[in-house]
Amino acid sequence: MQKRRCDPLDALNQIRKKIDAYDQELVQLFEKRMEAVLQVLSLKKEYKMPIFQKEREEQVLKKAAENIQNPLFEAEAREFFETIMRISRKLQARLLFPYNIVLIGFMGAGKSAVGKELSLLLEMELIDIDAYIEKEMKMTISDLFERYGEAYFRDREEEAVERISKRKNCIISCGGGVVLREKNIANLKKSGKVIFLEAKAETIYSRIQGDTTRPLLKGNMTIAAIQEKLKQRESHYQRAADFTVSTDHKTEREIAQEIIALLCEASPAVEQNFCF
Ligand code: S3P
C-alpha cells in the first residue's frame, strides 16, 4: 500500500501550535519569575541587604546548566538565563532609581570605573561627558585644551551637560571640573541624584601618576599640586553633592554597591511602584 504523504503546511501548523502553547507557558512563568524578583527586592530593601549580587547570578546559571537535558542547547540556555537576569536587574533599577545617577569628583576619584560598574550592575546606560565631548569635537580633551584653551572646553562642557541632563535613567560620569559652573549642577540636578566620589590627594596621585592625558596637571603631576586643586574645589563638590562616598582603599564593586545602598535607602518602598 502506498504511504500517504503528509501535507507540509499541515505539519508546520501542528508544530506552530505546540510552540504557541509553550510560549504561553513561558510568558506565564516569566511573569511569575519577575514578581518573585520584585518580592526579593522588597525584602532586601527592607532589611538593608545588598540588592545586586553577582554570586547569586552565577548560581542561577550553574543550576540552569545542570538542569538542561539536551547538551545541544547548553550555550543557548546560558544565554537565555543571562538575558533573564539582565532584564531582572534592569526592572529593579528602573523601579528603584527612576532618575539619572550623576558621578562627580576630582580626576582619578574613580568616576569612570565606578560608572562602568554601576552601568553593568543596574543595566543603565553610561554616558561619560568627556568621551561625549571628544566624540562631538572629534578631538581629545588634551588637544582641545592645547588648541583652544580651558574656557573654550568649559563652554563645550556646559553645552554637553545641558543636552545630557535631558536624558533619563542613565549613569552620567562628569569631568572633574564640571562643578565649576553653577549652571551645570542645576542642570544635572533637574533629572539626577549627584554622588560626590571623594579621594585623598595621595590616592588620586597613585591612580593617575604617569597619565599624560590630564591637561590640568600637565608638567605638574605631584601630590602637592593635586592637594592645591582639591582645596580650591572641595566646597564646590560638597555643595553639589546629594551623597558623598569615599573611594580610598575600595574596589569599584564596593563603591558601586555603597552608592546603590545609599540611593536605595532614600528611594520609596518598591511596593509603592508595583502591585504584587
Ligand atoms: C578636568 C577633568 C577631566 C577633564 C578635563 C578637566 C578637571 O576629567 O574634564 O581634563 O577640570 O578636573 P576627569 O576628571 O574625568 O579626568
Side-chain angles (χ1 to χ4, degrees), residues 105-107 111 130 141 145 153-154 157 174-177 214-216 233:
F106 202 74
M107 289 173 245
K111 295 165 303 214
D130 280 351
I141 301 292
F145 264 74
F153 167 75
R154 295 293 169 211
E157 183 173 53
C174 302
R214 316 273 179 175
L216 284 186
R233 290 199 177 161

Side-chain angles (χ1 to χ4, degrees), residues 24-236:
Q24 203 180 338
E25 278 180 59
L26 269 179
V27 168
Q28 284 163 4
L29 284 175
F30 176 76
E31 256 182 82
K32 279 191 201 158
R33 195 185 193 283
M34 286 299 150
E35 283 171 10
V37 164
L38 292 187
Q39 282 164 359
V40 167
L41 174 64
S42 167
L43 203 74
K44 282 181 173 177
K45 186 170 168 353
E46 191 179 342
Y47 293 97
K48 299 192 187 349
M49 294 188 258
I51 303 279
F52 298 93
Q53 291 167 301
K54 278 281 181 202
E55 314 75 51
R56 167 68 186 152
E57 292 199 2
E58 278 310 318
Q59 275 174 14
V60 172
L61 290 176
K62 203 166 150 244
K63 278 196 187 127
E66 282 163 13
N67 286 335
I68 191 98
Q69 286 173 19
N70 186 342
L72 179 64
F73 307 132
E74 223 168 82
E76 285 73 17
R78 185 176 174 94
E79 194 176 337
F80 178 69
F81 278 94
E82 276 171 351
T83 305
I84 287 190
M85 284 183 294
R86 201 159 39 74
I87 293 170
S88 300
R89 267 185 272 134
K90 199 168 179 171
L91 169 71
Q92 296 178 78
R94 177 164 67 79
L95 293 181
L96 283 173
F97 316 125
Y99 44 74
N100 295 324
I101 300 176
V102 181
L103 303 177
I104 61 164
F106 202 74
M107 289 173 245
K111 295 165 303 214
S112 302
V114 173
K116 276 188 200 139
E117 191 66 32
L118 281 172
S119 164
L120 202 83
L121 283 171
L122 304 176
E123 285 301 326
M124 283 164 77
E125 187 189 349
L126 170 66
I127 306 178
D128 183 301
I129 294 187
D130 280 351
Y132 179 93
I133 297 170
E134 288 187 333
K135 201 167 159 210
E136 284 262 296
M137 303 300 296
K138 298 186 183 62
M139 203 184 280
T140 64
I141 301 292
S142 298
D143 286 348
L144 259 178
F145 264 74
E146 206 157 300
R147 271 216 223 163
Y148 303 110
E150 182 172 350
Y152 180 84
F153 167 75
R154 295 293 169 211
D155 288 344
R156 302 293 77 73
E157 183 173 53
E158 187 181 306
E159 286 165 7
V161 167
E162 195 163 354
R163 245 174 281 149
I164 292 167
S165 295
K166 297 201 172 96
R167 304 279 299 271
K168 298 234 161 66
N169 234 208
C170 295
I171 311 289
I172 303 177
S173 166
C174 302
V178 81
V179 289
L180 298 175
R181 291 195 180 175
E182 292 285 337
K183 190 177 170 196
N184 291 340
I185 297 307
N187 274 328
L188 290 163
K189 275 184 181 292
K190 273 185 204 157
S191 55
K193 298 261 187 277
V194 178
I195 320 289
F196 168 31
L197 297 185
E198 203 178 30
K200 291 200 179 82
E202 290 77 8
T203 309
I204 291 170
Y205 178 75
S206 73
R207 289 179 186 157
I208 66 173
Q209 61 171 318
D211 185 344
T212 54
T213 64
R214 316 273 179 175
L216 284 186
L217 292 169
K218 206 171 170 187
N220 199 13
M221 181 68 84
T222 61
I223 295 181
I226 295 171
Q227 200 109 51
E228 182 60 32
K229 277 237 161 291
L230 265 180
K231 220 162 77 193
Q232 291 164 8
R233 290 199 177 161
E234 186 69 27
S235 63
H236 289 88

